[in-house]
Amino acid sequence: MAIDPSNILLTGRVAVVTGGGEGIGRGIAEGLAAFGASVAIWERNADTCASAAESTGALGIVTDVRDSEQVDAALERTATELANPSNVNNAGGAFHSPLLDTSENGWDALYKSNLRHVLLCTQRVARRLVDAGQPGSVINVTSIEGARAAPGYAAYAAAKAGVINYTKTAALELARTIFGSTRLPRT
């Protein structure tokens, strides 16, 4: 049974969707907007950011969420133009890299794109909400690869497992003010 947007409205709520320019992130942004939320898309690709923002009526901010200064600037702009947001950490990526062939550079790239940004975005959004005494949500999108062995994708799987444990820990630390959850899309 499909959910009818008129039964569950998010009017008055603000949500950031990282990696919201395409794929799962764009679908999340479209869904939040359909239910009445004001949406900010933080996406590093300027073309997909603009396209997704235009089609959903969202605020598009070209942002590399792996960079703390860009995250800080995007959050300030989002809060100024919309309000303090909740957060959906969706950005990430993967590439095939067998264990014995994974370079330090490849490991670091997968860590930054799949785990580091979760720290940066969660921490900054949660801090702003806690300081303002506002409730909110942080949703971290991960992968089934974070919960099972993934030959050829050890670095990616390790980063996604990190997202799962980080989310559980953050949820316990922020339980009184922020709700944290992890979503495992099928891949």
Side-chain angles (χ1 to χ4, degrees), residues 130-174:
V130 168
D131 289 348
Q134 293 178 291
S137 297
V138 175
I139 299 170
N140 295 323
V141 178
T142 187
S143 168
I144 193 67
E145 304 306 348
R148 68 178 184 192
Y153 294 89
Y156 173 76
K160 291 302 187 178
V163 172
I164 294 167
N165 199 327
Y166 176 83
T167 303
K168 290 176 182 180
T169 302
L172 290 173
E173 287 189 28
L174 300 169

Side-chain angles (χ1 to χ4, degrees), residues 36-113:
S38 297
V39 177
I41 294 172
W42 296 358
E43 168 67 50
R44 69 182 177 153
N45 180 305
D47 293 335
T48 60
C49 184
S51 172
E54 183 178 337
S55 72
T56 61
L59 171 64
I61 304 174
V62 177
T63 308
D64 185 340
V65 294
R66 301 170 298 180
D67 180 289
S68 60
E69 290 179 3
Q70 289 188 44
V71 170
D72 291 339
L75 179 56
E76 189 59 38
R77 182 171 169 205
T78 300
T80 299
E81 294 188 32
L82 300 176
N84 285 340
S86 287
N87 181 232
V88 178
N89 290 312
N90 169 72
F95 55 84
H96 186 261
S97 183
L99 181 70
L100 298 179
D101 297 332
T102 300
S103 67
E104 290 177 40
N105 202 26
W107 178 276
D108 290 345
L110 286 165
Y111 157 78
K112 285 181 180 179
S113 66

Side-chain angles (χ1 to χ4, degrees), residues 16-39:
V16 166
V17 180
T18 68
E22 59 187 336
I24 294 170
R26 186 170 182 155
I28 292 167
E30 290 169 350
L32 290 166
F35 282 88
S38 297
V39 177

